[in-house]
Amino acid sequence: DQLKKLEHVTDLMEEFGKIENVRIGNPTDVKEKLKKMALGGEHKLLVISDFDFTLSRFQNEKGERLSTTHGVFDDNVMRLNPALGQKFVDLREKYYPIEFSPNLTVEEKIPHMEKWWGSSHQLIVNEKFSKSTIEDFVRQSRIVFKDGAEELIQSLDAHSVPLVIFSAGIGNIIEIFLQQKLGAIPRNTHFISNMILFDENEQARAFSEPLIHTFCKNSSVIQKETSFFHEISGRTNVILLGDSMGDIHMDVGVEKNGPTLKIGFYNGDLSDQKALDHYVEVYDIVLVHDPTMNIAQKVIDMIN
Ligand code: C5P
């Protein structure tokens, strides 16, 4: 049985080697991790995933950019109240280039990210959006699951493998999205995200603390999750799924000495070799412009 599992790992590595948009910087290392994970099986497994442009698609078939969870407000508010909508769009146009700027350090970016998240959250709270309005917004949004994302979430649930959705987006929007797409939020799913807090009239009144932005997805915000991570402390083998440099430390709250296999979606410019090389350096497996969850699913199927 163990031998069979190890054979699977060899087959999988061979298969990945033939897929054009799969980049693996250190195949020996990845193979070692996969072996440990295969032998550990589903009872040792934990999946930690980003949401925006990781579980959700980055662009549609026409190459048009799709929406993040925050983007749900930009689009819908623009339609209903263009003056306010413009404020969301202005914030994005100002700060998005800073988030991805190659010329600034993370330390230099952080105050801008706090400003961006803080300002857009303030707009949401000032407007007192109701829960049902937000549900409508999500229904009309351009958030789209990657191909196979629904099946991946359901297969983890079926095997009772915990899925932590760790997002600097808005957790309620993810919950509503899952509810609408899957009919219910799977029991195995745990959220670490920014939550809109509603008052007794179900109107937005505040956001949860601490604020989670792109560059603090690490131990600084996981602290209040210690009891959850303790509960799952037997799960020492982690598959981490992300799309940005801010996602690579999402596993720091896990009490473990097992491997973390980091799978990164590269949505950036194909001609930017330096950026792509950087992804290949920090992620074990890099998927270039991949609108599917196929590779992650293959790894999970191999383990389960
Ligand atoms: O880490 P995650 O991918 O979940 O981050 C959410 C994304 O939402 C950020 O990368 C940022 O570009 C985006 N965002 C946005 N509007 C905001 C704040 C963040 O589109 N007001």
Side-chain angles (χ1 to χ4, degrees):
D1 204 36
Q2 293 211 338
L3 219 58
K4 216 175 218 142
K5 284 189 165 170
L6 296 180
E7 267 170 33
H8 269 157
V9 171
T10 308
D11 293 347
L12 203 60
M13 288 301 291
E14 216 166 275
E15 186 181 344
F16 289 170
K18 289 182 195 145
I19 306 176
E20 211 214 326
N21 69 335
V22 177
R23 306 286 161 83
I24 298 179
N26 188 340
T28 318
D29 197 29
V30 170
K31 194 169 178 183
E32 258 339 284
K33 288 185 183 184
L34 285 175
K35 276 187 192 168
K36 285 188 189 143
M37 296 179 122
L39 294 176
E42 64 187 48
H43 300 295
K44 291 272 176 208
L45 184 63
L46 167 66
V47 178
I48 303 178
S49 180
D50 169 53
F51 184 79
D52 290 314
F53 303 151
T54 295
L55 285 172
S56 76
R57 271 182 81 136
F58 182 62
Q59 50 188 20
N60 64 16
E61 268 92 14
K62 289 186 224 148
E64 294 158 347
R65 176 77 61 86
L66 293 164
S67 181
T68 60
T69 52
H70 279 98
V72 166
F73 286 96
D74 308 15
D75 290 355
N76 283 285
V77 177
M78 201 48 145
R79 196 163 45 78
L80 299 171
N81 176 348
L84 179 61
Q86 193 60 45
K87 289 188 186 168
F88 283 101
V89 173
D90 288 346
L91 286 171
R92 188 181 65 211
E93 285 176 354
K94 175 170 176 192
Y95 291 111
Y96 185 80
I98 299 178
E99 180 181 4
F100 284 92
S101 166
N103 305 319
L104 295 171
T105 64
V106 166
E107 284 66 33
E108 287 167 330
K109 290 178 185 188
I110 285 175
H112 295 286
M113 298 302 106
E114 288 171 347
K115 206 71 201 280
W116 182 13
W117 265 251
S119 311
S120 59
H121 291 180
Q122 199 55 54
L123 290 177
I124 292 167
V125 168
N126 287 349
E127 207 53 27
K128 299 196 169 87
F129 287 107
S130 72
K131 224 178 213 170
S132 66
T133 301
I134 296 173
E135 283 164 1
D136 270 351
F137 283 2
V138 176
R139 212 167 282 121
Q140 310 213 29
S141 76
R142 292 174 306 117
I143 299 180
V144 179
F145 261 139
K146 275 199 169 71
D147 288 349
E150 287 184 56
E151 292 78 358
L152 182 127
I153 294 171
Q154 276 158 343
S155 84
L156 292 174
D157 193 38
H159 288 271
S160 301
V161 173
L163 166 64
V164 177
I165 297 184
F166 193 168
S167 168
I170 300 176
N172 318 62
I173 303 261
I174 305 171
E175 286 182 345
I176 296 167
F177 182 75
L178 293 185
Q179 187 89 43
Q180 289 176 0
K181 295 291 163 189
L182 307 174
I185 298 164
R187 289 157 306 143
N188 67 324
T189 311
H190 181 85
F191 295 90
I192 305 176
S193 189
N194 299 301
M195 294 307 226
I196 302 174
L197 308 176
F198 293 95
D199 64 17
E200 65 281 6
N201 300 318
E202 305 225 306
Q203 293 181 316
R205 66 163 178 86
F207 270 81
S208 59
E209 306 259 4
L211 176 76
I212 305 175
H213 58 72
T214 314
F215 302 109
C216 64
K217 293 172 85 171
N218 52 40
S219 50
S220 67
V221 298
I222 292 177
Q223 262 154 28
K224 67 174 189 177
E225 306 289 337
T226 42
S227 79
F228 167 75
F229 280 111
H230 191 67
E231 229 173 84
I232 55 163
S233 58
R235 295 183 177 268
T236 51
N237 301 340
V238 177
I239 295 177
L240 178 152
L241 302 164
D243 78 308
S244 90
M245 287 298 148
D247 293 332
I248 59 175
H249 301 299
M250 293 192 297
D251 63 332
V252 290
V254 185
E255 304 166 20
K256 70 189 196 83
N257 43 24
T260 296
L261 182 76
K262 298 184 183 180
I263 302 180
F265 291 90
Y266 180 75
N267 300 315
D269 192 345
L270 291 180
S271 61
D272 191 344
Q273 194 57 44
K274 212 173 131 199
L276 184 52
D277 287 347
H278 193 193
Y279 270 68
V280 175
E281 227 169 84
V282 300
Y283 281 103
D284 295 304
I285 301 179
V286 175
L287 308 173
V288 182
H289 289 203
D290 188 350
T292 80
M293 298 305 290
N294 295 350
I295 300 296
Q297 187 70 62
K298 281 177 196 291
V299 173
I300 290 164
D301 288 344
M302 193 253 323
I303 296 169
N304 282 339

